[in-house]
């Protein structure tokens, strides 16, 4: 009902891969940092939150894409929020059914997925303008990128803060856990370190591309 | 040079179209939520029952099965899902031969970050607490969260005195948390060094619950041992 001409994107590998690297929701777009910092004190929490967010991203993206021609622009935000809240409620029940311990560990952050800007951002910027396959593949890529970022933080924080990964202890009994890493400041330290690494890799890639372009220019 | 195209004005949307969309989405959302709720409810209830049963077996050593009741000032009531009678939910614990061996109760108090909820066991024969299990907490990892697993702290609850004063209907000695290394009495809890607020919360919640419930447990001990409510009250309860 928007009455606007919008370029429909073809589904390519890039539709999925963009979310992993080029437009990674955490390391590049810096979105949804609240759960990224709060629940990544262990790998299993990070994985569960990543999968829960991916489920909501894909489901809401699919439904919004299907209904995109029926949703008037004036009420679109209210509609998206209701759709996202529905799938968050569903994922809330599903996690309770899968594991109560996990549900208690994730606490209020499951319900707070409703206000995760990655999801509303994808709904507004992509799913509401694209056909179902593109919306689903893009949401899967974004979810995978978000989960990857959470796992990057969760594994490092659990390894340093508790000496284990997924609950399996990797060091001898002499290892003194670096408790600060599982506390809130540890989230900022590890996120900062990963951002530094991502920025370094990005700049290195840009330098290489520049050098290659220069060689081509001189060679021709 | 790029020329900026003027944006076309937003087409007028009839009010009915907006209402229809919002109502339709709300109905679809309600349908999905209710369907998933109905599907997962028995699984979630079963998970909760298993978690409580597991916790009861931890806090009442030797417990194999449990039954749920409400214990209030006017005695034992069945848990029948209807109007809740006055009182608190308790879990009667039985050993493998079906013999009543203790009671598990829930308690809660404000900790360092959020409310801490625990389940603790009570043996009416020795009139002592027999163990605790933290059900929910958000205490600081590495410090306050030690209340859940620190062996020295948990040892406090192996036989924590909760003797009821036969005259006054309260505890003979209030259960208190004392500074680390200064425990001298069986009703005292030795705090964890560096986690005083969390340790104090455990002492406070057990004392508050014990002052209310232990006198009732002793008063209605015969009913508890029978594991059934009198004939004028509805029967029921957990397993």
């Amino acid at each position: 009902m928007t009455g606007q001409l919008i370029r429909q994107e073809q589904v390519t590998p890039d539709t999925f891969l963009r979310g992993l690297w080029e437009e990674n929701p955490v390391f590049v777009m810096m979105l949804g940092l609240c759960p990224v910092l709060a629940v990544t004190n262990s790998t299993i929490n990070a994985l569960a939150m990543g999968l829960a967010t991916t489920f909501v991203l894909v489901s809401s993206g699919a439904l919004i894409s299907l209904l995109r021609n029926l949703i008037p622009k004036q009420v679109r935000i209210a509609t998206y929020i209701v759709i996202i809240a529905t799938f968050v409620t569903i994922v809330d029940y599903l996690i309770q059914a899968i594991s109560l311990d996990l549900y208690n560990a994730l606490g209020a952050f499951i319900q707070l997925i409703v206000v995760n800007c990655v999801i509303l951002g994808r709904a507004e910027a992509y799913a509401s303008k694209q056909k179902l396959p593109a919306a689903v593949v893009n949401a899967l890529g974004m979810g995978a990128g978000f989960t990857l970022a959470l796992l990057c933080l969760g594994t490092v924080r659990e390894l340093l803060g508790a000496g284990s990964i997924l609950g399996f202890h990797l060091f001898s009994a002499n290892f003194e856990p670096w408790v600060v890493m599982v506390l809130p400041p540890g989230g900022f330290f590890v996120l900062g370190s990963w951002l530094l690494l991502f920025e370094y890799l990005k700049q290195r890639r840009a330098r290489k591309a520049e050098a290659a372009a220069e060689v081509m220019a001189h060679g021709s | 040079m790029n020329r900026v195209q003027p944006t076309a004005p937003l087409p007028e949307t009839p009010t009915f179209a907006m209402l229809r969309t919002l109502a339709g989405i709300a109905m679809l959302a309600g349908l999905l939520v209710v369907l998933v709720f109905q599907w997962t409810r028995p699984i979630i209830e079963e998970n909760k029952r298993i978690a409580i049963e597991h916790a009861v077996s931890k806090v009442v050593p030797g417990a194999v099965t449990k039954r749920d009741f409400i214990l209030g000032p006017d005695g034992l009531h069945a848990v029948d899902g209807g109007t809740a009678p006055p009182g608190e939910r308790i879990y009667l614990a039985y050993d493998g031969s079906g013999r009543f061996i203790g009671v598990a109760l829930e308690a809660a108090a404000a900790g360092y970050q959020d409310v801490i909820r625990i389940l603790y066991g009570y043996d009416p024969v020795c009139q002592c607490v027999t163990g605790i299990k933290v059900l929910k907490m958000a205490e600081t990892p590495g410090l306050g969260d030690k209340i859940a697993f620190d062996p020295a702290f948990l040892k406090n609850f192996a036989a924590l005195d909760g003797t009821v004063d036969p005259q006054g209907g309260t505890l003979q000695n209030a259960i208190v948390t004392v500074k680390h290394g200064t425990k001298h009495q069986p009703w005292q809890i030795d705090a964890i060094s560096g986690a005083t607020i969390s340790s104090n919360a455990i002492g406070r919640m057990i004392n508050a619950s014990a002052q209310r419930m232990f006198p009732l447990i002793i008063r209605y001990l015969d009913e508890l041992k029978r594991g059934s409510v009198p004939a004028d009250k509805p029967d029921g309860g957990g397993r």
Side-chain angles (χ1 to χ4, degrees):
Chain A
M1 287 220 176
T2 55
Q4 292 171 337
L5 280 175
I6 293 156
R7 192 174 63 86
Q8 294 293 325
E9 194 182 293
Q10 294 299 313
V11 180
T12 61
D14 190 53
T15 313
F16 177 83
L17 294 173
R18 228 180 296 153
L20 281 181
W21 176 260
E22 213 177 304
E23 290 177 12
N24 185 290
V26 176
F27 294 136
V28 177
M29 295 200 282
M30 306 282 284
L31 294 174
L33 292 187
C34 179
V36 168
L37 293 165
V39 303
T40 54
N41 52 4
S42 75
T43 314
I44 189 72
N45 288 359
L47 183 65
M49 177 54 76
L51 292 178
T53 309
T54 305
F55 171 82
V56 177
L57 256 170
V58 174
S59 314
S60 59
L63 192 57
I64 289 166
S65 172
L66 280 173
L67 301 175
R68 68 189 186 283
N69 294 326
L70 299 173
I71 301 173
K73 208 168 175 56
Q74 292 85 345
V75 293
R76 70 191 190 287
I77 300 295
T79 312
Y80 299 161
I81 291 288
V82 172
I83 291 172
I84 293 166
T86 303
F87 288 109
V88 171
T89 310
I90 288 172
V91 90
D92 184 278
Y93 288 137
L94 290 178
I95 293 178
Q96 283 189 70
I98 292 165
S99 166
L100 278 180
D101 286 340
L102 188 62
Y103 182 76
N104 287 333
L106 294 175
F109 290 98
I110 299 171
Q111 291 92 334
L112 286 175
I113 295 175
V114 177
V115 287
N116 189 323
C117 26
V118 177
I119 299 169
L120 191 59
R122 279 295 96 187
E124 171 73 352
Y126 200 88
S128 62
K129 298 179 175 69
Q130 300 296 332
K131 284 183 180 166
L132 181 67
V136 168
V137 172
N138 184 266
L140 272 171
M142 284 288 159
F146 189 70
T147 309
L148 181 76
L150 288 172
L151 281 174
C152 285
L153 267 83
T155 44
V156 172
R157 290 180 71 188
E158 189 183 344
L159 186 68
L160 298 176
S164 60
I165 288 182
L166 286 168
F168 295 106
H169 288 273
L170 300 179
F171 301 120
S172 69
N174 295 330
F175 175 74
E176 189 62 44
W178 198 4
V179 175
V180 71
M181 298 314 275
V182 290
L183 297 177
F188 286 99
F189 291 147
V190 179
L191 179 64
S193 307
W194 277 110
L195 288 175
L196 205 64
L197 180 69
F198 260 67
E199 192 55 34
Y200 166 74
L201 292 174
K202 220 164 77 177
Q203 285 188 10
R204 197 177 70 164
R205 208 160 75 153
R207 273 200 305 272
K208 275 186 180 172
E210 211 171 283
E214 215 165 283
V215 168
M216 290 280 281
H218 285 293
S220 61
Chain B
M1 190 177 155
N2 288 338
R3 215 190 294 166
V4 178
Q5 294 287 333
T7 316
L10 209 61
E12 197 67 39
T13 307
T15 309
F16 176 72
M18 290 191 274
L19 279 172
R20 183 191 58 196
T21 306
L22 285 171
I25 294 288
M27 278 177 66
L28 181 66
L31 181 75
L32 282 172
V33 168
V34 171
L35 278 177
V36 175
F37 172 73
Q38 291 294 353
W39 175 56
T40 54
R41 188 170 60 167
I43 306 169
I44 294 168
E45 289 302 318
E46 180 64 5
N47 283 351
K48 284 182 178 166
R49 190 191 65 74
I50 291 169
I52 289 286
E53 205 156 82
H54 182 68
V56 169
S57 69
K58 281 230 166 190
V59 299
V60 182
V64 176
T65 55
K66 64 141 183 95
R67 293 183 69 192
D68 306 10
F69 286 96
I70 304 275
L71 181 62
D74 55 344
L76 203 59
H77 298 269
V79 180
D80 57 5
T83 315
E88 289 182 31
R89 183 184 281 254
I90 62 167
Y91 306 99
L92 304 190
Y94 302 88
D95 65 9
S97 60
R99 190 173 58 90
F100 168 71
I101 51 170
V103 183
L105 306 104
E106 283 188 40
Y112 186 68
Q113 311 232 27
D114 200 358
V115 171
I116 303 171
R117 274 185 58 230
I118 67 161
L119 190 79
Y120 70 99
Y122 181 64
D123 183 347
V125 177
C126 73
Q127 296 203 20
C128 60
V129 173
T130 51
I132 68 163
K133 164 111 175 103
V134 176
L135 299 176
K136 197 170 180 218
M137 67 163 173
E139 300 305 281
T140 314
L143 296 171
D145 73 341
K146 284 185 183 172
I147 56 170
F149 56 80
D150 185 66
F153 183 69
L154 295 179
K155 213 174 148 192
N156 282 299
F157 309 99
L160 182 71
D161 183 49
T163 308
V164 174
D165 184 352
Q167 307 301 320
T170 54
L171 297 188
Q172 275 182 353
N173 300 289
I175 294 168
V176 286
T177 305
V178 294
K179 206 174 157 189
H180 180 64
T182 62
K183 173 183 164 111
H184 297 298
Q185 302 296 341
W187 57 83
Q188 292 176 336
I189 299 167
D190 194 13
I192 299 171
S193 179
T196 318
I197 293 174
S198 310
S199 307
N200 281 339
I202 296 289
R204 271 201 329 273
M205 73 176 82
I206 294 181
N207 184 57
S209 167
Q211 297 283 5
R212 283 193 313 272
M213 299 304 291
F214 290 2
L216 293 176
I217 290 172
I218 298 301
R219 195 193 308 167
Y220 295 107
L221 191 55
D222 288 339
E223 275 187 39
L224 298 184
K225 280 181 177 167
R226 278 200 308 272
S228 61
V229 296
D232 59 327
K233 294 177 187 170
D235 203 347
R239 277 173 50 173

